[in-house]
Amino acid sequence: MTTLKAGDKAPSFSGTDQDGKTHKLSDYAGKKLVVFFYPKASTPGCTAEACDLRDNFHRFQANNYELLGVSADSPKAQIKFKEKYELPFPLLADEDKSVINAFGVWGPKKFMGKEYDGIHRTTFVIDEKGIIEEVIENVKTKEHASQILK
């Protein structure tokens, strides 16, 4: 899967959020950025993860972090997800998978004995200079904020 690791320069991405606003890595210079990739909006695991980050959003802000969620869902699905769970951070609707592929989180998965291609739930913590501080591949959806804010 992802070949990116701590110490690497983060990919210079550009993606559009649920409201059509463009987000680029350069927009976050001088701040820490958490980019979390999730398989599908409004599914149980993704909801648990997003709500845990939402519930700890004040802790992220206090530590100069911005959050950006990314999935291949449509803008409409991202709007519903964001509004239903009152998520205070943007969700990129990466339908063409340009950001997903830039970070290397698309690939073969197994579920209930079936193999298919999909998004691997992965989080990248990027420092103020655009360098990856940490890659979290073993995401604990209900306690993800604690994995990031140690």
Side-chain angles (χ1 to χ4, degrees):
M1 272 314 308
T2 184
T3 55
L4 294 171
K5 57 192 181 308
D8 289 348
K9 185 154 182 39
S12 182
F13 67 86
S14 177
T16 308
D17 72 13
Q18 72 287 336
D19 297 321
K21 181 177 186 251
T22 300
H23 295 261
K24 300 187 294 281
L25 178 63
S26 56
D27 296 339
Y28 297 94
K31 284 192 175 266
K32 293 179 183 179
L33 177 63
V34 174
V35 182
F36 67 99
F37 291 89
Y38 57 95
K40 190 153 183 58
S42 298
T43 55
C46 298
T47 300
E49 178 182 11
C51 289
D52 179 58
L53 296 173
R54 174 202 66 202
D55 295 346
N56 289 281
F57 191 61
H58 63 282
R59 290 175 56 206
F60 286 103
Q61 288 183 307
N63 287 288
N64 197 32
Y65 281 97
E66 293 285 340
L67 275 73
L68 201 53
V70 185
S71 75
D73 291 299
S74 69
K76 187 176 175 185
Q78 299 290 43
I79 287 169
K80 282 172 79 171
F81 189 39
K82 184 174 169 63
E83 288 177 354
K84 182 174 183 179
Y85 297 101
E86 299 177 6
L87 304 176
F89 38 78
L91 302 174
L92 296 188
D94 193 26
E95 291 180 291
D96 69 357
K97 301 180 191 68
S98 60
V99 180
I100 291 162
N101 287 324
F103 279 86
V105 297
W106 182 264
K109 296 173 75 165
K110 254 192 185 141
F111 184 69
M112 309 265 294
K114 288 187 176 171
E115 224 176 274
Y116 61 97
D117 281 346
I119 297 172
H120 288 252
R121 188 184 309 278
T122 310
T123 297
F124 295 84
V125 181
I126 302 167
D127 75 9
E128 297 88 343
K129 295 185 177 93
I131 303 299
I132 297 171
E133 280 185 349
E134 186 177 12
V135 179
I136 303 170
E137 293 181 90
N138 185 18
V139 172
K140 295 182 174 113
T141 57
K142 292 180 179 159
E143 49 197 72
H144 195 34
S146 305
Q147 288 182 287
I148 300 165
L149 297 167
K150 296 177 204 63

